[in-house]
Amino acid sequence: MAEGESLESVTEHERILQEIESTDTACVGPTLRSVYDDQPNAHQRFMEKLDTRIRNHDREIEKMCNFHHQGFVDAINELLKVRADAEKLKVQVTDTNRRFQEAGKEVIAKTEETIRCRTQQRNIATVVDKLQMCLPALEMYSKLKEQMSGKRYYSALKTMEQLEHVYLPKVSQYRFCQIMAENLPKLREEIKEISMSGLKDFLESIRKHSDKIGETAMKQAQQQKTFHAALHRQTNVSYKKPIYIINGHSAGENEVTPKSQMLEDEDTEEEVLSVQDLVDFTPVYRCLHIYTVLGDKEVFENYYRKQRRKQARLVLQPQANMHETVEGYRKYFSQIVGFFVVEDHILHVTQGLVTGSYTTELWTMAQSKIIAALRTHSSYCTDPDLVLELKNLIVVFADTLQGYGFPVNRLFDLLYEVRDKYNETLLKKWAGLFRDIFEADNYSPIPVANEEEYMAVISKFPFQDPEGDKVSFPKKLPMSQSVPQIYMQVKEFIYASLKFSESLHRSSTEIDDLLRKSTNLLLTRTLSSGLQNLIKKPHIGLTELVQIIINTTHLEQACKYLEDFITNITNVSPETVHTTRLYGLSTFKDARHAAEEEIYTKLNQKIDEFVQLADYDWTMSEPDGRASGYLMDLINFLRSTFQVFTNLPGKVAQTACMSACKHLSTSLTQMLLDSELKQISMGAIQQFNLDVIQCELFASSDPVPGFQEDTLQLAFIDLRQYSDRGAGLKSSEYFLMDNPFKRHLHVCCRLYQM
């Protein structure tokens, strides 16, 4: 049975091998799967059968290779022999081809030359015949070229007309004539371009000279303004509109030229430069005439306006660093003025090239860009002098353009915004000045040795002290050196603020209001902030704080003199309706209150520093017999400090003294009720009682005058009760304490028991 199964297995394996050999590789999967699906050892027997089949095939391949090997070797040998002969044949073929090519070159060259010569002969004969007919047209075309090269464009246009209507139709069948006919429009365009090139040169010239033109116009405007201001002061004659020199002629509305002005104009006539002296307008006139003849006047006008708009955008585009120097602003304004002066000239000397509506539209666009640029660049300015010079330039710029008929109300409105920026830069500058004054001050009363030094101080600051005037020299003024310096700087600020208001065509009332508002900003924001920062500085001690309070008191009293100062320079009565008042009183009161609070805080901090030095031995058996050293040092410090407070207002000194005594009492009480203190001896209580007695003696010594009887002692009343009740206990007893609440309860119980 086993042998039967083995024969069947062998036969099956033979079948599988035949299928593998005859079946495509992609379809051999099912066949191989049958090997694994058979009996358990079928796979091994199949592999043995496969190895046997592989060995049989290898033997057959080997026999076949041995049978054909000798023929293969013979073929290789024959191929090697043929290769040598092939190389020789290749060399011979290459050499033969080279010699054949060289021999054929000469033949080809001669043949091509012969063909070219015969063609030329035929063409020459044909050309001679045809040229006789075409010469008139060619001569006219040559004449046209000569006229164009000689820049006789009007004659060239007539010649083109003859060519187009008389000569070219006769020879229109020739291609060159067609090209000539096609070139005539191009030549017309060339004439346009040539004339346009002159216009472009003109545009380039005015672009280069616009700043010079504008500078000259602005200088003339400023001279005219100065002249009319001087004339107004002398004769009380005012002009509604300034007179400016436009293209060598004066222009203005209803102007009346006095004799003095005529004499001055005669003296300065040689110095006045017109626009025509700086720029040649001939290219504009020529180009306008040519385009008018050709019927393209509208094209020329559109082109001119388009190019000028482009130039306007370039002129109106400021440099990135324009805000750094006044020269940047001056060049910017000069270019703009030069641009519009040229446009005004073109408006008056040409017919329709530039219209009033066009210039108005251009100026409206320019004014918006100018204002936007000035807003942007002025925001970067940090130097008030530069902002002031910018304001002067804007005024001259506006007056100049106004003289040429351009509305400039928006520019004067912009000056209000620039004024706000000017005030901001002034406030920043004066903040630094105030800071320097505060840092340089020694916060001591000003010593004056004689009348001369006293008058030197009085000339800077309106100090009045009838009682102090009775004291002989040398003496000391109550305020420190910073007070007259700050007062002088406030006046300098008012002067600086006033400079901006000049030439703005504003009334005295408006100028007075602007000065008062800017001064209020200086007092309420800049000076107030400086005082607040000064008070909070760590190195400012109690003595300095006392002097700051005295200083603010005198500065507050001087505010009325600042109002009088503003009134004097603006000639506006302080009783005028809606007159702005100075807010210096509230500023200095706030600073004084802050200084007072800082005094209370620093005084309490100093007390805490002394109290931290306390080192009680709460288990001591006997007291030292004298008060603690730290407490005596603290009391001496308070006495010397309150002596400095004599110059302060009474309520401030009394409040500081009461606050210090209460804080000291609270600190000693907290020391007695400390949660870390577990027990206390009778000796410690007695020692603590000695310190309390010193506190009470200090309170009763009237360190600051003005307290009612026993008012200051009330600050230590609770501390005295603790000390008295504790001192009444037996010396052998201890207070056993766990926390402040139990200690307080225990002390109260002792009080009731005793």
Side-chain angles (χ1 to χ4, degrees), residues 61-70:
I61 292 171
E62 185 176 358
K63 288 178 183 181
M64 186 176 294
C65 289
N66 290 335
F67 176 77
H68 294 286
H69 177 69
Q70 186 59 40

Side-chain angles (χ1 to χ4, degrees), residues 108-124:
I108 293 172
K110 293 296 183 181
T111 303
E112 291 178 351
E113 184 178 358
T114 301
I115 295 172
R116 186 168 56 255
C117 289
R118 290 180 179 176
T119 302
Q120 288 177 351
Q121 290 177 354
R122 186 173 61 253
N123 291 341
I124 289 172

